[in-house]
Amino acid sequence: MSTQTELQQTIEDLVDDKRGILAADESSPTIKKRFDAINVESTEANRLTYRSMLLSTPELGKYISGVILFEETLGQESEQGKPLPELAWQQGIVPGIKVDKGKGPLPGAAGDFITYGLDGLAERLHAYKLLGARFAKWREVYAITASNPTQLGLTANAEMLARYAAVCQEQGIVPIVEPEVLMDGDHEIDRCAEVTEQVLHAVFHALHLHGVKLEHMLLKPNMVLPGKDCRRAPADEVAEATLIVLRRTVPAAVPSINFLSGGQGPEEATENLNAINQARNHAPWQLSISYGRALQQPALQAWGGKAENLEAAQEALLKRARLNSLAREGKYHPGMETKTP
Ligand code: 5MM
């Protein structure tokens, strides 16, 4: 199969008008933080139990088309001896892999970050593909302050995302491009809109310079929101601000925009997605999810590290996946949170 055909096939397997992507790619420090919150030790065995439970949730494939895994998970086997990527495939869920190696300060741009991991990326992708990964994800992070992101921060981060995406496509791996403008701070929604527009403009300029085929990538952006120390904006305001920025910056060739949840509560993230889809008005892309926390938080709480809670945890995950699928059609209502399907 040619690389182009391979990329196109993965896009077709990942993108439709009902399903979204589950981000289960927490790095070791992040999963430890999540497990600490429920008093569970972050051992390899516990991470395996938890992630096997997520991937074997009955019917998950009705609402989830792809899962982003952490490197450790890609090589793990379930108790029944099945590799975890195969467990996902059994339900028609495409396995993907987070390939960035985390962030640090960007020299010369105080307050900005840069993500590591480009060295040896092509070789790593080759190995991940043999383990079943068909797509990848790389996240760049932008803090908002009075002086951030700087012009250097915007340019350097866009360049990293574009270089990563170009290497992925060369290897026949679909890149998810994730520029995340953080919610931290007390800024108003307009400031988030201004920064997100600058970020996406720089990212698509760099993707163009690096010859990335927009038809064969997915964008994973933040929604446009006020800072978390400012106020909570109503969903219709978030939807309007988000769609204005996306229309100004994201070419129609991109097949799907899969939002991150970025610290929104699970219900808030579903409500905002619903409002975005209600207001989409012939937007050219699918408007979907690639949530981590907003899909997993209720499942983590329900599990609490206890084998007898596995089923309840799967129900909690399935519920969020199903409600977000309804939100993709603009058919979600908060009243559905208390009703059983
Ligand atoms: C699931 O968390 C992912 C990994 O984060 P770290 O590298 O910090 O461990 C993260 O990239 C995630 O995929 C995105 O931030 C979106 O997740 P949220 O929780 O914001 O929806």
Side-chain angles (χ1 to χ4, degrees):
M1 209 192 297
S2 76
T3 304
Q4 293 309 305
T5 316
E6 210 170 27
L7 292 169
Q8 182 58 31
Q9 186 57 55
T10 302
I11 289 289
E12 283 166 23
D13 289 339
L14 277 175
V15 178
D16 61 35
D17 58 3
K18 298 267 182 303
R19 300 184 299 162
I21 293 175
L22 165 65
D25 59 318
E26 297 84 358
S27 58
S28 307
T30 306
I31 195 73
K32 181 176 178 324
K33 231 191 299 171
R34 305 279 182 266
F35 278 15
D36 282 351
I38 53 164
N39 290 317
V40 173
E41 200 187 339
S42 181
T43 60
E44 190 182 343
N46 284 340
R47 294 191 293 271
L48 174 61
T49 303
Y50 174 66
R51 286 166 168 159
S52 303
M53 179 274 291
L54 294 180
L55 296 177
S56 56
T57 299
E59 309 232 298
L60 191 65
K62 270 168 76 174
Y63 310 115
I64 296 294
S65 62
V67 60
I68 313 172
L69 304 172
F70 186 56
E71 190 176 22
E72 174 187 75
T73 318
L74 197 67
Q76 279 176 325
E77 288 185 353
S78 70
E79 263 181 27
Q80 292 71 33
K82 196 170 279 297
L84 262 54
E86 257 182 55
L87 209 57
W89 263 127
Q90 261 181 352
Q91 304 217 52
I93 299 174
V94 185
I97 171 87
K98 180 242 285 300
V99 297
D100 66 69
K101 289 188 173 281
K103 64 173 175 25
L106 174 63
D112 284 342
F113 303 102
I114 196 79
T115 296
Y116 312 121
L118 275 185
D119 287 350
L121 180 59
E123 292 75 16
R124 283 200 288 134
L125 287 171
H126 182 74
Y128 295 148
K129 209 172 167 186
L130 295 175
L131 289 169
R134 296 259 307 273
F135 69 97
K137 193 205 79 176
W138 182 292
R139 171 170 170 247
E140 295 289 336
V141 178
Y142 305 77
I144 296 186
T145 70
S147 50
N148 298 98
T150 63
Q151 188 54 52
L152 174 60
L154 291 169
T155 310
N157 281 282
E159 188 68 12
M160 291 298 270
L161 283 168
R163 286 179 61 194
Y164 138 81
V167 177
C168 284
Q169 290 190 343
E170 204 175 59
Q171 296 296 318
I173 295 269
V174 166
I176 296 189
V177 170
E178 181 181 3
E180 176 174 7
V181 177
L182 297 173
M183 266 173 89
D184 301 330
D186 61 0
H187 51 272
E188 252 302 341
I189 194 167
D190 292 353
R191 175 76 176 131
C192 179
E194 178 186 42
V195 170
T196 305
E197 185 171 334
Q198 288 171 337
V199 163
L200 293 177
H201 180 72
V203 167
F204 280 97
H205 180 61
L207 290 168
H208 173 72
L209 289 178
H210 286 264
V212 173
K213 253 192 127 200
L214 302 185
E215 291 80 356
H216 291 159
M217 62 159 271
L218 304 180
L219 178 70
K220 175 167 174 169
N222 52 284
M223 292 177 188
V224 175
L225 302 159
K228 66 173 187 246
D229 300 326
C230 176
R231 67 184 168 100
R232 187 174 153 184
D236 56 348
E237 189 183 345
V238 172
E240 191 191 344
T242 302
L243 286 164
I244 287 175
V245 168
L246 294 177
R247 284 205 173 90
R248 286 181 182 168
T249 53
V250 184
V254 173
S256 182
I257 295 176
N258 293 62
F259 295 103
L260 57 92
S261 55
Q264 298 176 66
E267 295 179 22
E268 180 186 4
T270 307
E271 208 179 331
N272 284 337
L273 178 74
N274 189 64
I276 289 172
N277 275 295
Q278 282 181 344
R280 56 175 293 133
N281 191 20
H282 304 298
W285 343 265
Q286 296 291 336
L287 290 161
S288 183
I289 58 166
S290 174
Y291 291 165
R293 283 164 287 183
L295 279 174
Q296 290 187 56
Q297 203 176 297
L300 259 173
Q301 292 290 342
W303 175 54
K306 299 196 174 80
E308 65 266 29
N309 294 338
L310 281 178
E311 220 171 286
Q314 291 183 326
E315 270 171 33
L317 173 66
L318 193 69
K319 176 179 171 184
R320 293 263 50 91
R322 184 175 58 79
L323 292 178
N324 279 296
S325 175
L326 284 171
R328 293 213 45 201
E329 299 182 84
K331 291 183 180 161
Y332 165 82
H333 186 273
M336 293 169 171
E337 293 290 346
T338 47
K339 281 192 203 130
T340 40

